[in-house]
Amino acid sequence: MNELTGRITGISGGLYSVECGNETLPARSRGVFRQKGIKPVTGDFVTLLREENSQPVITDIAERKNYIIRPPLANIDLAVLVVSSCEPKPNTLILDKLTAIFESKAIETVFIFTKIDRADAEAFSQIYQEVGYKTFSVDNTTGRGAEEAANYLKGKTSALIGNTGVGKSSLMNYIAPTVLHKTSEISKKLGRGRHTTREVKLYKADRDTYIADTPGFSTVEISKYGAIPSRELAENFREFGQFLNGCRFKDCVHVKEEGCVLREAVKAGSISSSRYDSYCRLFAEAVNEENSRYK
């Protein structure tokens, strides 16, 4: 009987692929996890029990550094938002909601803008650079810019996250050339692609470098990544931080209050109007969701 430690790199058909040193073992999970209301997910560090002539069993899940619900993924260092410069066009509301969610989970967010051969993404990139987010731009036809992005991902566990059709699989072929992926053509009629990724898998791109290519999402599905209480939302817009403590109104929600320091900062150009507009819309969305729970 051997006890091993490893990391779950994929799940298929009820079996967990667990990387243990130089080998990957198919393992099953103990029923006790279901009784405790937990479930092993891709990215988990686990303990395996392997008996002779029997399939390894996951007996323990190490404490997670972080966890995202959709897709089920644990212990990531970077949330890499892959944003197409066109088809589909960047949606700042979605991007701002995702950055706030990952900010609340203390996960570093990085932007990679794709398809720059077809449209310029500089205006969008600038919004997030000014806030302090790292951004990269990649030409999907030549791979220009991919090397710089790949270097930033080295030694980290990253999740590629993006709307359906932004070219995540094509990008994956550039930043992790050892990983083969089929790509699909964009449907011009629908404005989205037929993504080939169906399950979350953690790919080893290099030593200590892992990349999860996650299923593309639609605008509706974005809520599955998590929710932030309305009163905590402003704290997760990182550029708001320097102004929040200076607001003269007690319990200010920074939406309609005249003289609010945050609103004044927007007028002065210290805070992007695009980001502030997203905050107001997301705040209203969070309040509506909270009110619906009490009806």
Side-chain angles (χ1 to χ4, degrees):
M1 183 183 298
N2 293 328
E3 192 172 77
L4 305 169
T5 57
R7 190 176 197 184
I8 298 175
T9 57
I11 305 170
S12 181
L15 287 179
Y16 299 82
S17 296
V18 183
E19 182 189 83
C20 298
N22 294 324
E23 62 178 337
T24 298
L25 303 172
R28 55 189 174 85
S29 172
R30 275 189 169 172
V32 67
F33 294 125
R34 286 192 297 273
Q35 295 170 18
K36 293 180 179 179
I38 60 175
K39 182 180 180 182
V41 300
T42 299
D44 270 331
F45 293 98
V46 297
T47 300
L48 295 180
L49 192 64
R50 180 165 65 171
E51 298 181 7
E52 191 174 352
N53 299 324
S54 66
Q55 194 169 56
V57 178
I58 297 173
T59 59
D60 188 42
I61 303 171
E63 184 177 354
R64 293 165 176 163
K65 178 169 68 174
N66 50 54
Y67 170 68
I68 57 176
I69 299 171
R70 197 272 178 200
L73 190 58
N75 303 308
I76 64 173
D77 300 311
L78 298 177
V80 182
L81 301 189
V82 184
V83 188
S84 171
S85 61
C86 62
E87 294 186 22
K89 191 176 179 181
N91 183 320
T92 53
L93 180 64
I94 287 179
L95 298 180
D96 293 334
K97 183 169 187 175
L98 284 171
T99 57
I101 289 170
F102 293 127
E103 199 83 20
S104 72
K105 296 177 182 293
I107 299 173
E108 181 184 353
T109 303
V110 173
F111 288 82
I112 297 182
F113 291 90
T114 61
K115 304 182 187 178
I116 59 170
D117 53 302
R118 298 170 60 185
D120 186 13
E122 186 58 33
F124 293 100
S125 179
Q126 188 83 20
I127 292 172
Y128 298 99
Q129 283 179 19
E130 290 179 354
V131 177
Y133 290 109
K134 189 75 175 175
T135 70
F136 300 92
S137 296
V138 175
D139 185 324
N140 280 53
T141 59
T142 66
R144 177 171 55 89
E147 185 177 358
E148 185 184 0
N151 286 336
Y152 193 80
L153 306 187
K154 279 187 177 178
K156 304 179 181 77
T157 297
S158 306
L160 300 188
I161 298 167
N163 202 58
T164 302
V166 296
K168 287 193 291 94
S169 293
S170 297
L171 175 66
M172 188 78 156
N173 287 332
Y174 284 121
I175 62 177
T178 57
V179 177
L180 296 178
H181 260 258
K182 292 181 179 179
T183 57
S184 0
E185 290 187 344
I186 298 296
S187 165
K188 291 184 179 179
K189 181 178 180 181
L190 298 178
R192 58 186 174 84
R194 185 177 296 170
H195 201 284
T196 57
T197 305
R198 291 291 175 262
E199 297 179 356
V200 186
K201 185 172 180 180
L202 209 54
Y203 296 97
K204 192 168 187 175
D206 200 352
R207 183 181 178 182
D208 299 325
T209 302
Y210 294 86
I211 300 176
D213 186 11
T214 66
F217 58 77
S218 68
T219 304
V220 175
E221 294 170 321
I222 194 67
S223 60
K224 295 179 182 178
Y225 274 87
I228 302 174
S230 59
R231 286 288 178 173
E232 297 175 16
L233 183 62
E235 299 169 13
N236 293 292
F237 277 67
R238 57 168 60 178
E239 68 272 40
F240 291 5
Q242 61 180 309
F243 301 103
L244 294 178
N245 290 334
C247 196
R248 60 177 176 163
F249 300 115
K250 187 179 180 180
D251 297 328
C252 186
V253 298
H254 319 292
V255 174
K256 295 180 179 179
E257 299 88 343
E258 286 298 327
C260 163
V261 68
L262 206 62
R263 286 166 54 85
E264 292 301 316
V266 176
K267 291 177 184 177
S270 301
I271 290 176
S272 158
S273 59
S274 169
R275 292 269 292 169
Y276 178 71
D277 289 345
S278 289
Y279 165 75
C280 292
R281 292 177 65 183
L282 293 173
F283 181 83
E285 180 183 297
V287 170
N288 288 337
E289 176 64 26
E290 289 159 3
N291 289 340
S292 68
R293 295 174 194 164
Y294 299 104
K295 289 182 179 179

